[in-house]
Amino acid sequence: MWGGRFAEGPSAIMREINASIPFDKALWRQDIAASKAHVAMLAQQGIVSSEDAAAIAGGLDTVASEYEASGVPENWDLEDIHMTTESRLAELIGPAAGRLHTARSRNDQVATDFRLWVRDAIDHADAGLEALQKALVTRAGEHAASIMPGFTHLQTAQPVTLGHHLMAYYEMAARDRSRFADARARMNRSPLGAAALAGTGFPIDRHMTAAALGFDGPTANSLDSVSDRDFALDYLMSAAQTALHLSRLAEEFIIWASQPFGFVRLPDSLSTGSSIMPQKKNPDAAELVRSHSGRIVGCLTALMITMKGLPLAYSKDMQDDKPPVFEAAGLLTLCLAAMTGMVAETTFRTDRMRAAAELGYATATDLADWLVRQANIPFREAHHITGAAVKLAESRGAALDQLPLAELKAIDARIDERVYAALSVEASVAARASHGGTAPVEVGKRVAEARAALGLE
């Protein structure tokens, strides 16, 4: 490829460190598509003959069929997917293959291929997130009124509904999808035609190739076109945020499946056993989602560090841009599938959840709110009164609604028998009917809106 400049070939070490075909062969579909768009434009502009263009296009189709059937061969002397394809094309059609590289460089070629790959990865991630949302919405609808304890600091705080809890993750997934959509819109410009770094003297039509590849238009600066990897970082940032959300959801299932909680029975298909303890049912899929999130964040960090000090335009450092993106995309696909299956197939033990919601004085805030509404007491004073009631209940080993009225009145004479109607967990969740609250009626509204947005109605 570049032997005319050098008297000697590369050393074995240089050959090994320089070759990217072991990983960039994943770009072969995008490389074929971009090459076909490029040669069609060259013919349209009269830069190559229609006969040569037809031969090149037909040869590329043959190469694609071979890759599809047998995979991409790894000849490290050819370095990368671009030269591997061009070399095979030359074997098939002869010298005309050499015209394909007219008015382009491997710099704009790989930038184009990689953008196309990342764009596909974004679409795949969005589909995975949509499937997760559908699973969450379906289960939330089933449990819009199922009561469970809500936690802060992993301490019982207030009763909520399981449907409300699951819909919190629906909202996270919605933000994840919006981040991927923003990244896709921002990166959808074609660098093809920027050549090595300065553009080309051939009368190319970059708008034609951009349209053929589904881009909104060509990039505006040739230097930026070949050196930009913001699109890959945007993808990884969106993937990392999604992974953090999946990790939080996985952690919930891990905790809920533990015996002290017993809130869920995980599906056998996403659990494992122990080699020595036959009673064990381990939440390994969820634990690996939790672990994989760290690896995805690591992929983002790796590419950020690679790019942080590179001058314009292209540097060989950027060959290392693809492995972290490929790794993150594979891990994200697995994590989305695992958590979607877990949400869809887990058995929620709502009896255990409700029993837990009645512990820990979860309705203490409802007592304080009742004092504000019914006795016209300032909240801070009501908070103090309620604290005294909780302390008494704790000393008796009783729930708040089990304290005799006389003992409550001894704490504050303004408490009367109406208070008991506010102290049940059902009354607590029903009272929180503010927009976005945990009341079953509000959860039902949000589930209906989400189902409509997802096309489930």
Side-chain angles (χ1 to χ4, degrees):
M1 175 181 55
W2 37 264
R5 171 66 177 83
F6 291 79
E8 299 181 6
S11 69
I13 293 173
M14 185 62 202
R15 176 176 169 272
E16 184 168 349
I17 197 172
N18 196 48
S20 59
I21 187 63
F23 55 84
D24 70 17
K25 64 184 180 181
L27 299 174
W28 73 261
R29 290 181 177 83
Q30 293 74 23
D31 195 60
I32 295 287
S35 291
K36 291 183 69 175
H38 182 67
V39 76
M41 180 275 295
L42 293 177
Q44 177 70 30
Q45 296 299 104
I47 300 171
V48 301
S49 69
S50 58
E51 293 78 13
D52 283 345
I56 290 170
L60 288 170
D61 286 339
T62 299
V63 174
S65 297
E66 292 175 353
Y67 289 171
E68 191 71 63
S70 305
V72 179
E74 291 188 19
N75 181 346
W76 286 21
D77 288 330
L78 295 173
E79 294 187 10
D80 57 31
I81 184 59
H82 318 300
M83 295 311 301
T84 297
T85 297
E86 187 174 325
S87 175
R88 179 56 181 150
L89 182 64
E91 292 174 353
L92 291 170
I93 70 171
R99 300 191 184 279
L100 174 59
H101 209 55
T102 307
R104 76 174 184 184
S105 161
R106 282 194 298 175
N107 292 355
D108 63 333
Q109 189 178 358
V110 69
T112 303
D113 295 353
F114 198 19
R115 279 186 191 240
L116 291 170
W117 194 95
V118 170
R119 191 175 69 184
D120 290 342
I122 287 174
D123 293 342
H124 192 69
D126 183 73
L129 281 163
E130 182 181 31
L132 175 62
Q133 284 185 306
K134 288 179 178 178
L136 288 165
V137 165
T138 298
R139 302 310 303 273
E142 295 170 5
H143 294 286
S146 299
I147 294 172
M148 65 174 290
F151 299 96
T152 62
H153 308 279
L154 207 55
Q155 305 292 312
T156 299
Q158 293 177 299
V160 297
T161 59
L162 174 58
H164 191 56
H165 195 111
L166 294 174
M167 287 302 290
Y169 286 96
Y170 170 90
E171 297 296 333
M172 295 182 207
R175 293 194 297 275
D176 293 331
R177 294 184 70 184
S178 73
R179 273 182 284 271
F180 278 118
D182 288 346
R184 194 187 196 283
R186 191 161 40 250
M187 60 84 74
N188 204 36
R189 294 278 168 178
S190 172
L192 191 58
L197 74 162
T200 179
F202 290 96
I204 63 173
D205 184 348
R206 294 189 62 208
H207 289 85
M208 178 180 173
T209 51
L213 295 170
F215 289 111
D216 296 329
T219 51
N221 182 284
S222 61
L223 283 167
D224 180 57
S225 298
V226 299
S227 62
D228 168 38
R229 292 299 183 269
D230 288 0
F231 64 91
L233 289 168
D234 278 353
Y235 171 80
L236 288 174
M237 289 175 189
S238 300
Q241 183 63 73
T242 300
L244 296 182
H245 289 155
L246 294 174
S247 182
R248 295 182 73 179
L249 180 58
E251 175 70 2
E252 302 262 30
F253 277 89
I254 293 165
I255 292 171
W256 291 352
S258 65
Q259 280 69 38
F261 279 78
F263 286 2
V264 299
R265 282 193 292 269
L266 297 179
D268 290 350
S269 59
L270 292 169
S271 305
T272 65
S274 166
S275 63
I276 190 172
M277 296 169 284
Q279 84 280 9
K280 294 292 294 297
K281 185 176 182 180
N282 299 325
D284 282 13
E287 290 173 349
L288 287 168
V289 168
R290 187 174 60 184
S291 175
H292 287 354
S293 68
R295 291 175 62 188
I296 292 172
V297 172
C299 291
L300 168 61
T301 302
L303 185 54
M304 292 177 73
I305 297 301
T306 296
M307 296 301 299
K308 72 175 179 61
L310 299 185
L312 295 178
Y314 181 84
S315 297
K316 197 66 170 181
D317 311 53
M318 293 165 69
Q319 182 168 288
D320 283 341
D321 58 357
K322 288 168 281 296
V325 174
F326 293 164
E327 180 183 1
L331 292 172
L332 184 62
T333 296
L334 277 174
C335 291
L336 282 167
M339 293 316 301
T340 298
M342 198 164 297
V343 169
E345 299 172 25
T346 285
T347 299
F348 292 103
R349 301 184 62 187
T350 53
D351 56 334
R352 291 288 298 261
M353 291 182 173
R354 191 192 182 287
E358 292 181 328
L359 303 175
Y361 310 105
T363 59
T365 304
D366 296 278
L367 173 55
D369 289 347
W370 184 90
L371 289 166
V372 172
R373 288 194 303 267
Q374 302 298 327
N376 197 29
I377 299 172
F379 182 80
R380 286 302 173 199
E381 183 182 352
H383 187 285
H384 181 78
I385 294 167
T386 301
V390 169
K391 184 176 181 180
L392 175 62
E394 191 174 44
S395 69
R396 300 287 178 83
L400 283 172
D401 60 358
Q402 294 175 335
L403 290 175
L405 179 60
E407 294 186 0
L408 288 172
K409 291 181 75 67
I411 295 172
D412 193 283
R414 291 166 289 188
I415 299 175
D416 61 44
E417 66 278 356
R418 294 174 299 169
V419 74
Y420 291 106
L423 293 182
S424 70
V425 290
E426 287 81 7
S428 177
V429 296
R432 279 154 178 80
S434 57
H435 181 77
T438 193
V441 63
E442 282 298 312
V443 175
K445 288 178 184 177
R446 185 67 191 114
V447 166
E449 293 169 359
R451 288 182 64 84
L454 293 168
L456 294 175
E457 295 299 342

